[in-house]
Amino acid sequence: MTTSRIDWVDTAKGICIVFVVMMHAVLGVEAAAGQTGWMHAIVAFAAPFRMPDFFLISGLFLSLVIARDWKLYLDRKVVHFAYFYVLWMTIQFAVKAPVFAGEMGWTGALQFYLISFVQPFGTLWFIYMLPIFFVVTKIAHDRGVPWQLMLAIAAALQIASIHTSYLLVDEFASRFVYFYAGYIFAQRIFVLADWARARIPLSLGLLALWALVNGGLVYLGWAALPLVSLALGAAGAGAIVLTSALLVTWGRLDFLRVFGAHSIVIYLAFFFPMAVSRIVLLKLGGLDIGTISLIVTITAVVSPMILYWMIQKTGFGGFLFKRPHWAYLEGTFGRKRAAQAAE
């Protein structure tokens, strides 16, 4: 198995992480200001495909490791994300604890913290869900469940538009189909990327048609309807694959590839610079809501990269983005290092 990164995959992840941060930044600014800005339309346009593509990309390379023994698999696909979830959930909670205590008292705040171990906290729900998807997919693989049946069940759950008070249930039902499709159709998705590079005019035409349909359905308020939502999620994921392949072919916007290669860094750490820049800019005033939202988005995306660079240069704080030795399951840390040395 190679450890070399694939340029268009990182670019796709970069596009997704920017859209994810943008959504939180724009909606946060608009909620604080009590009005909407021009970036609201961009967030609405991206809503049908923003998370579907992120989950699709997350499943792309699963076939390379799904046959591993359970201990190593759990270490890489469960413990890895659990470490970062607990660490950054605790960091976020510590930052917000005074606000929580003011609203519900310190006892209530502590209870809220403990509940966050079973009910994903804030922006971190994505890395909470991924291990669940990894485990469910491996169980189905090991037990020989036909992929057609799994995909049909996942699609049915998405179409059912399940809404409960439990985020794990709702997000599993809504997102698992895209993750599983990324795993099952990985080879075809890579073929699609190669196809786009070989047929640039046709790819551009398809992207224009997709943008028109996606934007039109969002404008009409139909994007969240059953079946329509699933279709737009799949089509949007395909569109991001085409877009990423074309961007890499043209050698443009390489910063998206860099963002994608460090998407977990941005995802984990964007919340604090986002909140601070939002508060400062709204207090200063002088700018329209859309422009403030744009600046907050850029700040929230770039700041974690600066933090990561500083950690790389100083060697201080590496545990924020890299699991320490003790956070590996016994006997798996050395195996990882040995495998890397052999590649």
Side-chain angles (χ1 to χ4, degrees):
M1 174 181 168
T2 180
T3 57
S4 60
R5 306 194 67 94
I6 297 177
D7 48 12
W8 74 259
V9 174
D10 280 336
T11 300
K13 290 168 65 178
I15 294 172
C16 291
I17 193 62
V18 168
F19 275 131
V20 168
V21 174
M22 182 188 298
M23 182 267 293
H24 288 287
V26 172
L27 297 185
V29 168
E30 292 178 347
Q35 55 182 301
T36 59
W38 54 267
M39 285 196 70
H40 189 88
I42 302 174
V43 172
F45 177 85
F49 62 86
R50 180 176 53 238
M51 295 312 299
D53 188 64
F54 223 156
F55 280 111
L56 182 102
I57 295 297
S58 298
L60 276 184
F61 300 100
L62 183 55
S63 62
L64 299 177
V65 300
I66 198 166
R68 285 176 173 174
D69 66 88
W70 268 102
K71 184 176 182 180
L72 187 59
Y73 188 85
L74 289 174
D75 179 77
R76 302 298 185 266
K77 300 304 183 184
V78 177
V79 178
H80 175 78
F81 292 104
Y83 168 79
F84 290 115
Y85 176 78
V86 173
L87 173 63
W88 282 91
M89 183 266 288
T90 302
I91 292 173
Q92 287 197 26
F93 182 85
V95 171
K96 299 177 180 179
V99 176
F100 294 149
E103 295 175 352
M104 59 187 76
W106 285 105
T107 300
L110 177 59
Q111 291 175 343
F112 183 73
Y113 173 75
L114 296 176
I115 289 173
S116 296
F117 283 87
V118 294
Q119 178 80 325
F121 182 84
T123 61
L124 297 173
W125 69 270
F126 175 79
I127 61 170
Y128 194 108
M129 292 302 305
L130 274 181
I132 297 173
F133 289 172
F134 283 124
V135 169
V136 170
T137 304
K138 182 164 175 60
I139 290 174
H141 170 271
D142 289 357
R143 297 196 175 185
V145 180
W147 68 264
Q148 297 91 340
L149 176 60
M150 285 294 296
L151 189 63
I153 293 173
L157 288 173
Q158 201 282 338
I159 294 170
S161 297
I162 296 173
H163 298 288
T164 69
S165 60
Y166 196 35
L167 188 145
L168 288 181
V169 174
D170 296 350
E171 294 299 341
F172 183 93
S174 179
R175 312 297 187 183
F176 181 65
V177 63
Y178 304 110
F179 175 87
Y180 195 77
Y183 158 61
I184 291 297
F185 299 125
Q187 185 174 357
R188 296 182 183 180
I189 292 170
F190 282 104
V191 169
L192 175 63
D194 292 336
W195 180 92
R197 295 182 180 189
R199 298 168 178 82
I200 293 177
L202 180 55
S203 297
L204 290 174
L206 290 174
L207 285 173
L209 177 61
W210 161 78
L212 182 63
V213 173
N214 185 86
L217 291 173
V218 168
Y219 178 78
L220 293 171
W222 297 350
L225 293 176
L227 288 177
V228 176
S229 173
L230 178 61
L232 286 183
I240 296 299
V241 172
L242 293 181
T243 301
S244 303
L246 294 180
L247 287 175
V248 169
T249 300
W250 293 330
R252 297 291 187 268
L253 304 180
D254 190 58
F255 65 88
L256 290 172
R257 179 190 59 79
V258 177
F259 289 164
H262 300 88
S263 58
I264 192 170
V265 171
I266 297 172
Y267 184 79
L268 292 172
F270 80 87
F271 79 97
F272 187 70
M274 178 186 69
V276 172
S277 58
R278 178 180 66 227
I279 293 170
V280 171
L281 288 172
L282 286 175
K283 285 188 175 181
L284 289 175
L287 296 172
D288 65 272
I289 297 303
T291 303
I292 291 176
S293 298
L294 176 61
I295 296 173
V296 171
T297 299
I298 295 172
T299 302
V301 171
V302 174
S303 295
M305 295 297 296
I306 295 174
L307 173 62
Y308 180 77
W309 175 82
M310 293 174 61
I311 290 173
Q312 294 296 101
K313 290 295 183 181
T314 64
F316 178 76
F319 69 95
L320 291 173
F321 302 117
K322 183 178 180 180
R323 272 194 295 167
H325 189 173
W326 59 263
Y328 286 77
L329 292 180
E330 183 180 358
T332 60
F333 182 83
R335 290 169 66 181
K336 179 182 181 181
R337 293 296 178 267
Q340 289 178 338
E343 290 168 348

